[in-house]
Amino acid sequence: EHPNIQWFKDAKFGMFIHWGLYSKLAGTWKGKNYYGSGEWIMNQAKIPVKDYRKIAADFNPVNFNAEEWAQLAEDAGVKYMVITAKHHEGFSMFDSKVTGFDIMDATPYKKDPMKALSAAMRKRGIRFGFYYSQFQDWYEPNGGRNTWDYDESKKDYQSYYRQKAIPQLKELLTNYGPLGIVWFDTPGGMTKEQTAAFVKELRQLQPNSLFSSRVGQGMGDYKDFGDSEVPPVPIEGAWESIYTHNDSWGYIAHDMNFKSPDEIIKLLANVASKGGNLMLNVGPDGSGKIPEYSVKYLQRAGAWLKKNGAG
Ligand code: JFZ
């Protein structure tokens, strides 16, 4: 058991944020609407890298306000937040020296939102962590699972890990203060030995930080259930259920299927009654605004929790 697991076991409620270039596409590519997983649009529409990279040139989230996002987290009563530093699309939402395909170098925004957000969260005493897609990287010739631009059989995953994933994770584990969680996802391309070496190398930088189970090979510090899944009976040990507020992780403009404050509280109670945490996702748009329904409903859920002594 991880020596720093107790805060997580006590947390009950977390906020997940999926935010990237896909947020700007908002579920639409070339006049066609997609539904269900806005962050997968590059894959669903098989958008070539040479077109996808152009989205960055217009990505300018001037409405992003770290204090507002952190305040929403506090109002909602969450005890931790995890945000996508790099999703499968391969775009880095932080200042990375490892690539030019990041928010500093490739967009007109030219600021690091993760710097501001990590600071705003620390100020409020809410744990902060990064989601990082360690294997799937649809931008890189050697990254996982882009088969529409690249030939899978020619890929050298180890070279991608050495040249991008590991150096970037080192940046994330070095430049943003103490992290509560590093949330890995969809493992691949590594043997058990390679995963062990990967985990060991990164742990040295932040021994106190928890690693999610999707680091692979059973080497995470707590269990994540499949998306939108709550176990039927109480489960021992540290675990988390992840849900999204509407039907997509990444922003989709035509998805209005938001869970009401009522439904959020029932879901939270269901997960808590089985002994786990609920990490509920919101998907800000490409301008940096969290959808109004997410703001309103999370605030109302948080107000209820406070009033009833659970906040
Ligand atoms: C992954 C991502 O592919 C997705 O875009 C999103 O970020 C989500 C939170 O995580 O999707 C998964 C990963 C694992 C399972 C389901 C969806 N699973 O184990 O059931």
Side-chain angles (χ1 to χ4, degrees), residues 16 18 39-40 87-88 131 183 185-186 214 226-227 242 249:
F16 208 1
H18 276 66
E39 74 286 359
W40 273 75
H87 204 269
H88 309 333
Y131 169 112
W183 216 95
D185 200 4
T186 62
R214 291 182 192 171
D227 300 2
I242 54 172
W249 303 97

Side-chain angles (χ1 to χ4, degrees), residues 11-15 71-80 126 268 298-299 301-303 305-306 310-311:
K12 302 301 169 216
F13 197 17
M15 183 185 287
Q71 192 56 45
L72 176 62
E74 186 177 323
D75 293 345
V78 302
K79 299 296 187 282
Y80 63 102
I126 306 175
L268 185 55
L298 277 168
Q299 284 171 343
L305 291 173
K306 269 196 194 90

Side-chain angles (χ1 to χ4, degrees), residues 20-305:
L21 296 182
Y22 47 80
S23 312
K24 185 170 166 60
L25 296 185
T28 306
W29 179 252
K30 298 208 160 153
K32 189 170 176 254
N33 281 351
Y34 293 80
Y35 197 82
S37 276
E39 74 286 359
W40 273 75
I41 192 165
M42 180 181 181
N43 182 301
Q44 289 168 334
K46 302 289 176 262
I47 306 175
V49 163
K50 68 169 177 20
D51 295 333
Y52 199 84
R53 70 190 317 162
K54 291 185 191 141
I55 303 161
D58 299 313
F59 188 80
N60 196 12
V62 291
N63 292 326
F64 168 72
N65 183 321
E67 293 297 329
E68 278 175 23
W69 287 21
Q71 192 56 45
L72 176 62
E74 186 177 323
D75 293 345
V78 302
K79 299 296 187 282
Y80 63 102
M81 173 190 281
V82 173
I83 184 165
T84 49
K86 188 203 78 172
H87 204 269
H88 309 333
E89 64 175 357
F91 183 73
S92 305
M93 290 291 285
F94 61 101
D95 181 7
S96 177
K97 308 292 180 232
V98 175
T99 175
F101 194 49
D102 69 335
I103 195 159
M104 293 294 282
D105 298 322
T107 79
Y109 189 63
K110 297 199 183 309
K111 287 187 285 277
D112 183 346
M114 301 303 156
K115 263 264 136 74
L117 191 59
S118 57
M121 295 301 284
R122 191 164 321 114
K123 203 167 82 183
R124 287 167 177 78
I126 306 175
R127 311 240 178 197
F128 180 76
F130 289 119
Y131 169 112
Y132 187 89
S133 176
Q134 78 274 27
F135 170 58
Q136 290 197 65
D137 189 312
W138 303 332
Y139 185 80
E140 302 295 335
N142 289 314
R145 304 248 168 90
N146 179 342
T147 50
W148 55 99
D149 284 293
Y150 310 121
D151 181 351
E152 193 100 63
S153 69
K154 297 213 175 79
K155 287 185 181 190
D156 177 357
Y157 297 133
Q158 296 322 308
S159 131
Y160 156 77
Y161 274 116
R162 264 196 317 276
Q163 288 172 22
K164 186 169 182 182
I166 294 171
Q168 286 207 315
L169 281 157
K170 286 184 171 171
E171 291 181 321
L172 291 168
L173 285 155
T174 307
N175 299 338
Y176 300 88
L179 299 181
I181 297 176
V182 184
W183 216 95
F184 296 97
D185 200 4
T186 62
M190 275 199 273
T191 63
K192 183 147 193 170
E193 288 67 37
Q194 285 165 335
T195 308
F198 173 85
V199 166
K200 189 172 171 218
E201 188 172 0
L202 296 175
R203 281 228 194 268
Q204 285 168 1
L205 297 172
Q206 291 216 23
N208 267 327
S209 174
L210 305 177
F211 288 7
S212 75
S213 64
R214 291 182 192 171
V215 70
Q217 311 281 1
M219 287 179 200
D221 298 314
Y222 64 88
K223 185 169 162 42
D224 263 292
F225 281 86
D227 300 2
S228 308
E229 190 190 353
V230 182
V233 294
I235 304 282
E236 289 290 310
W239 61 272
E240 174 183 72
S241 280
I242 54 172
Y243 274 75
T244 189
H245 191 194
N246 51 3
D247 291 330
S248 174
W249 303 97
Y251 179 71
I252 288 190
H254 44 280
D255 179 350
M256 283 290 153
N257 195 24
F258 293 100
K259 291 166 190 66
S260 66
D262 227 66
E263 290 172 299
I264 293 172
I265 286 162
K266 280 180 189 150
L267 184 56
L268 185 55
N270 184 17
V271 176
S273 76
K274 312 287 171 44
N277 296 340
L278 171 69
M279 181 158 74
L280 184 66
N281 178 77
V282 300
D285 68 18
S287 85
K289 244 176 65 78
I290 295 175
E292 241 170 79
Y293 284 105
S294 291
V295 172
K296 247 200 291 201
Y297 291 180
L298 277 168
Q299 284 171 343
R300 284 195 205 150
W304 187 94
L305 291 173

